[in-house]
Amino acid sequence: MTAVITVPASLDEQSFESVIEALAAIPADAKVLVDARHCRFATPYGLTALLCLAQSREAKPDFAPPDDPDVASYWSRSAFFRYAEELYTMRGTVPKPRAAGDSDVLLEVTPVARNEDVHAIVGRIQEKATQILVQKLDLDPRATMSFVMTLSEAASNIIEHAGRGGWVMVQRYNWAKRRVGRDVVQIAVNDAGVGFRKSLESSRARALADRWDDGAALESAVINGVSRLQDPGRGQGLKGIRGFVHRFDGKLTVRSGTSRIAPVLPDWDEDQARLDGLPPFPGAQLQVIIPKRVARP
Amino acid sequence: MTHIDLHSALAAADAAPYHDLVTRQTGARVRHVVEQQLAGLADGSVAFLDFTHIGVLDRSCADEFVAKLMLPLTRADAPRDGYVVLRGVNDGHLDAIEQVLLAHGLALVVQCGDGAARLVGAVTEVERLLWERVMVTGGAAAEHLEADVGLPPDEASRLLESLARRRLLRRDHDRFCPLGRVA
């Protein structure tokens, strides 16, 4: 029997939790249909997380694409279906990707499995990142390098620690009607690999911890810069990401296993610094949001 | 003085048309290429690593390349007697380099666009002051420098020896000399 997982109409970091929750109730080897027919909106986090979902299943799941042709067309232009068609059995037609024109997609869904993938991402995104960050987000041109470094470090973490390939996507949004009230750029770097807890199993932090779980592992790595390797130079990547996000009034969240932390929380957002006891999801899911710069009085 | 173009080293290391120094894997490969070039130099040589044609440098790559290149050279039993100066470094590069040097307690001489040299990384204010005096004088014996910075003779000598061991100054008999161009 096939279990149906319904993709919410608006798929983002927060609403993907309902997908994970539904998934948690289904045995790992059960056949699953991921039903996105009524989905109308998906963020980079949502799209890349759907690919992770397929990677995490023992049996190749089925996928019902969005009914709305505009939505399906956007998912196609974002290269979601290019990879979804490999990971899912499609139940429905998928539009062919067409040139996007003046798109707000800085980087479409891109796989990260090898060193070369990170170089390709860094090489491809620089020109468009400069254009969007400077013209749309009013950031200093020098912010582009920090932005690209953030992307590079986050993608490198997949190669270094995940044990399997993951996904990256970057998109600009106009969030005038949301609490932040301005344009933002979102980076999602998601994988369905071993996750922070398992990656740090042999670390000193693990040996010294009274209590060891996903939340403790996340805090050790993301906040305290602990790595599985005892080398003072390790842990620099996540430290650099935190610094960049903080400097540009952004938001950083990292989920792994059953926990999620928000080590950088801006004034414009209401979120919890740490959540434990979430339904389990493999690997690590990182999201960065950088808003348009606001001139200080 | 030897000039090592890092864009060429990157091409030799990765055999692909990249111009960014990103990822640990790439950092390690570039380090091996540069180490081979340094191994061919005479003792006491100063090698200028040129970042001019490098786009992005991330911290992981900087750690694997810059920090791990310097760690053996600064040990008491360093495998070779050589010096490294960075040039063509922009603000983005500098941020990544400085952070990884601090993490390892290392420092490096960086030559800025105007040719002036500066010290980057883990150094105390007194060490920096002494180092700057060496740069201004173009090289001097310890006894000529200690008065300038108001340190007891033994302390100044100890710090200068330490700066030389850390490859931030060159020792030429009883004189301590700059690596980069005199400011």
Side-chain angles (χ1 to χ4, degrees), chain B residues 30-44:
Chain B
V30 172
R31 171 165 46 87
H32 289 312
V33 170
V34 172
E35 279 171 343
Q36 282 175 353
Q37 295 187 43
L38 294 180
L41 301 179
D43 273 356

Side-chain angles (χ1 to χ4, degrees), chain A residues 212-283:
Chain A
W212 186 249
D213 53 22
D214 291 311
L218 269 174
E219 284 205 349
S220 295
V222 182
I223 296 173
N224 302 323
V226 170
S227 168
R228 72 189 147 95
L229 299 166
Q230 287 205 31
D231 174 344
R234 292 278 172 165
Q236 292 288 321
L238 282 167
K239 190 178 170 192
I241 292 172
R242 270 195 358 248
F244 166 71
V245 176
H246 180 72
R247 195 159 69 246
F248 290 95
D249 192 30
K251 179 181 179 185
L252 169 66
T253 54
V254 190
R255 190 196 199 284
S256 187
T258 57
S259 292
R260 172 185 180 273
I261 61 169
V264 185
L265 270 177
D267 292 341
W268 51 260
D269 191 82
E270 284 181 332
D271 203 342
Q272 287 174 275
R274 177 168 161 174
L275 288 167
D276 294 303
L278 299 170
F281 194 67

Side-chain angles (χ1 to χ4, degrees), chain A residues 115-116 118-120 122-123 126 142 145 148-149 152-153 156 159-160 231-237 239-240 247, chain B residues 14 18 20 22-26 29 55-60 63-64 68 90-93 99-100 103-104:
Chain A
N115 190 49
E116 292 76 9
V118 181
H119 277 278
V122 168
Q126 283 182 61
R142 284 174 298 185
M145 189 171 277
V148 176
M149 270 177 56
S152 155
E153 297 284 12
S156 293
I159 297 167
E160 291 273 329
D231 174 344
R234 292 278 172 165
Q236 292 288 321
K239 190 178 170 192
R247 195 159 69 246
Chain B
D14 261 343
Y18 304 137
D20 302 301
V22 293
T23 78
R24 285 195 173 271
Q25 207 177 103
T26 294
R29 287 179 188 166
V56 175
L57 169 69
D58 72 18
R59 288 187 188 187
S60 297
D63 183 63
E64 204 63 46
K68 289 188 178 166
N90 65 33
D91 288 349
H93 301 149
Q99 294 305 318
V100 300
H104 289 279

Side-chain angles (χ1 to χ4, degrees), chain B residues 1-2 38-47 73 78-83 167 170-171:
Chain B
M1 289 182 187
T2 301
L38 294 180
L41 301 179
D43 273 356
S45 299
V46 181
L73 288 177
R80 55 178 298 275
D81 177 25
Y83 301 88
R167 307 279 156 180
R170 255 183 328 114
R171 182 83 192 262

Side-chain angles (χ1 to χ4, degrees), chain A residues 27-77:
Chain A
D29 59 350
K31 183 76 176 169
V32 163
L33 164 67
V34 176
D35 182 0
R37 284 177 302 156
H38 304 298
C39 187
R40 296 284 180 271
F41 171 80
T43 62
Y45 186 99
L47 291 178
T48 51
L50 285 178
L51 296 175
C52 292
L53 186 165
Q55 287 177 300
S56 73
R57 303 299 298 174
E58 289 176 21
K60 189 176 186 178
D62 292 348
F63 190 86
D67 283 343
D68 186 315
D70 289 339
V71 176
S73 173
Y74 167 74
W75 289 29
S76 186
R77 288 198 310 278

Side-chain angles (χ1 to χ4, degrees), chain B residues 7-130:
Chain B
H7 189 253
S8 303
L10 177 59
D14 261 343
Y18 304 137
H19 70 284
D20 302 301
L21 279 172
V22 293
T23 78
R24 285 195 173 271
Q25 207 177 103
T26 294
R29 287 179 188 166
V30 172
R31 171 165 46 87
H32 289 312
V33 170
V34 172
E35 279 171 343
Q36 282 175 353
Q37 295 187 43
L38 294 180
L41 301 179
D43 273 356
S45 299
V46 181
F48 284 80
L49 306 189
D50 192 347
F51 282 77
T52 302
H53 303 293
I54 294 298
V56 175
L57 169 69
D58 72 18
R59 288 187 188 187
S60 297
C61 188
D63 183 63
E64 204 63 46
F65 166 37
V66 181
K68 289 188 178 166
L69 181 74
M70 292 310 298
L71 279 170
L73 288 177
T74 55
R75 286 200 315 249
D77 59 340
R80 55 178 298 275
D81 177 25
Y83 301 88
V84 170
V85 175
L86 309 186
R87 68 160 45 143
V89 172
N90 65 33
D91 288 349
H93 301 149
L94 200 58
D95 178 61
I97 291 165
E98 189 153 33
Q99 294 305 318
V100 300
L101 291 176
L102 288 170
H104 289 279
L106 293 167
L108 264 169
V109 178
V110 175
Q111 203 175 54
C112 304
D114 59 1
R118 62 181 277 202
L119 211 47
V120 172
V123 283
T124 63
E125 281 311 304
V126 179
E127 286 174 324
R128 189 180 297 281
L129 198 60
L130 263 175

